[in-house]
Amino acid sequence: MLMCRRWLVCSLKGQYRSLSFSASRRSVMPAWVIDKYGKNEVLRFTKNAALPIIHYPNEVIVKVHAAGLNPIDISMRGGYGAATMAMKRDPLNMNQSGSEFPLILGRDVSGEIMECGLDVNYFKPGDQVWAAIPPWKQGSLAEFVVLSANEVSHKPKSLRHVEAASIPYVAATAWSVIVNTGGLNKDNGSKKRVLILGGSGGVGTLAIQMVKAWGAHVTVTCSQNAERLVRDLGADDVVDYTAGPVEKQLQTLQKFDLILDNIGGETEKWALDLLKPWNGAKYVTLVTPFLHNTDRLGLADGMMQSGVTIGCKVLKHLRKGVHYRWGFFAPSGPTLDEISEMVDAGKSSR
């Protein structure tokens, strides 16, 4: 069974509606919101948040039964990524600055379909679903949330809502990094050597289980306290970063086909030397300066700075026969369909 360690999952269960959502529509709902960026004190509970409505025919409204918070929510509360998120919400820059407020956080949701747009055929009211909510959309710390149907998936049958809400965002991130960017999947993963730097967090624990299910050999770095956890999830080799320089310990092992870096910083200076050269091996890091650059320099200059940075690094390492990549979260209902199958398959075999 896929398992995940997370910061917080909260239950927002309520009674099922006997009437259709449209027929019983209200104009407001309860939610946790922020009206400006800052620390915990900017969080505010209200019973008068605007109730979401369907704007496009491919959208659905989900009644939230459980919501999950991720580190990205904590960062967004302080304004991290605000410039990029504003562009995603308003590509033509037609709205005034601050139009995202009141902002609802929460990137994970598990709940029930209440209403479907005219073009939605895969879901119907009453379906039990889960989703990873894109950071530029209103989040799940509310009674209802509106999403595109292609961002939603049927919830694993083997999980309760509060369990399901601990998985989607980190699972979608792990899948995006490993499959979309890293090029590893269930068809080519057998016997590949994968190194996960910082494997005891949310993305790391999901990544271990995914690549292990595909037949890969998995090496993980973590603290001694987390060794039992990652081994139980399928890690073959575990390197304790508190037992000495981790790079020296890893240099004694065979080289890798894929490295997933959840740590960043100094690891870039030595991690790519652990890849198999001239063999298509890739290093993918989730710790990138992209959002920091756009926050600091503005959208255009920040994107240009990021392009120069990654371009230089790609060329530098390509000359050594290895590939350098940045990895990002990507919302995807079909991805969560795959994860749901893995969760239910693991549950039935235990």
Side-chain angles (χ1 to χ4, degrees):
M1 175 184 176
L2 283 176
M3 300 171 60
C4 179
R5 285 186 6 163
R6 294 291 304 287
W7 283 34
L8 169 69
V9 177
C10 56
S11 175
L12 298 172
K13 289 185 177 180
Q15 293 183 343
Y16 289 81
R17 294 170 180 262
S18 57
L19 299 175
S20 73
F21 188 54
S22 293
S24 59
R25 184 178 298 282
R26 309 187 307 267
S27 60
V28 295
M29 65 176 179
W32 282 95
V33 303
I34 62 173
D35 300 303
K36 61 181 179 179
Y37 296 118
K39 297 184 178 180
N40 280 341
E41 59 269 17
V42 301
L43 283 166
R44 174 174 66 87
F45 179 75
T46 177
K47 294 183 178 180
N48 297 306
L51 196 105
I53 60 175
I54 289 177
H55 290 282
Y56 301 99
N58 68 329
E59 290 182 331
V60 297
I61 293 178
V62 176
K63 179 176 176 63
V64 179
H65 289 314
L69 285 175
N70 290 266
I72 185 66
D73 290 298
I74 309 304
S75 299
M76 286 178 61
R77 180 204 62 197
Y80 176 69
T84 301
M85 300 311 156
M87 183 272 292
K88 291 289 291 183
R89 297 184 190 106
D90 182 24
L92 300 179
N93 196 28
M94 298 178 65
N95 296 325
Q96 293 182 345
S97 175
S99 61
E100 68 269 31
F101 300 118
L103 182 65
I104 301 173
L105 301 174
R107 306 272 62 86
D108 288 300
V109 62
S110 184
E112 173 193 2
I113 296 285
M114 297 301 293
E115 186 171 345
C116 299
L118 294 177
D119 289 349
V120 177
N121 298 314
Y122 189 59
F123 301 102
K124 64 183 185 301
D127 283 355
Q128 306 298 297
V129 297
W130 63 348
I133 303 173
W136 52 90
K137 292 190 175 183
Q138 293 285 40
S140 57
L141 297 185
E143 187 178 7
F144 299 100
V145 63
V146 64
L147 294 165
S148 298
N150 59 11
E151 296 164 350
V152 179
S153 167
H154 289 100
K155 178 184 71 67
K157 294 180 175 63
S158 58
L159 298 185
R160 296 178 296 120
H161 285 292
V162 290
E163 296 169 327
S166 71
I167 295 176
Y169 191 83
V170 290
T173 303
W175 187 282
S176 173
V177 172
I178 294 168
V179 179
N180 301 344
T181 308
L184 197 70
N185 56 57
K186 60 184 178 183
D187 297 321
N188 65 11
S190 180
K191 299 182 180 178
K192 292 291 178 66
R193 290 183 53 79
V194 178
L195 169 61
I196 301 174
L197 298 170
S200 59
V203 174
T205 52
L206 265 295
I208 293 169
Q209 296 168 86
M210 286 168 52
V211 298
K212 190 62 182 176
W214 299 337
H217 181 282
V218 187
T219 300
V220 173
T221 68
C222 64
S223 68
Q224 184 180 19
N225 293 336
E227 179 174 355
R228 182 173 179 180
L229 167 69
V230 298
R231 286 198 182 277
D232 287 345
L233 295 177
D236 298 288
D237 294 324
V238 180
V239 174
D240 177 9
Y241 64 76
T242 66
V246 68
E247 63 270 29
K248 292 185 178 179
Q249 298 179 66
L250 290 169
Q251 286 166 0
T252 65
L253 304 176
Q254 296 180 40
K255 291 187 180 294
F256 299 93
D257 298 287
L258 176 65
I259 297 176
L260 168 56
D261 187 359
N262 297 291
I263 305 298
E266 295 294 312
T267 59
E268 282 194 15
K269 295 182 178 180
W270 49 262
L272 284 99
D273 294 332
L274 303 174
L275 290 169
K276 298 176 181 178
W278 307 108
N279 199 42
K282 294 180 180 178
Y283 164 92
V284 185
T285 179
L286 279 166
V287 186
T288 80
F290 181 82
L291 293 180
H292 175 71
N293 285 343
T294 56
D295 286 340
R296 182 171 56 92
L297 301 173
L299 197 61
D301 289 345
M303 292 179 69
M304 182 177 295
Q305 178 64 56
S306 297
V308 170
T309 299
I310 190 170
C312 291
K313 291 185 176 183
V314 167
L315 291 175
K316 171 186 174 182
H317 295 292
L318 195 57
R319 290 197 293 266
K320 300 178 183 179
V322 296
H323 299 274
Y324 176 96
R325 297 287 187 270
W326 286 353
F328 298 95
F329 161 78
S332 171
T335 289
L336 292 179
D337 287 342
E338 297 272 2
I339 298 295
S340 184
E341 290 182 11
M342 295 175 70
V343 170
D344 282 337
K347 181 71 174 182
S348 62
S349 66
R350 285 174 69 88

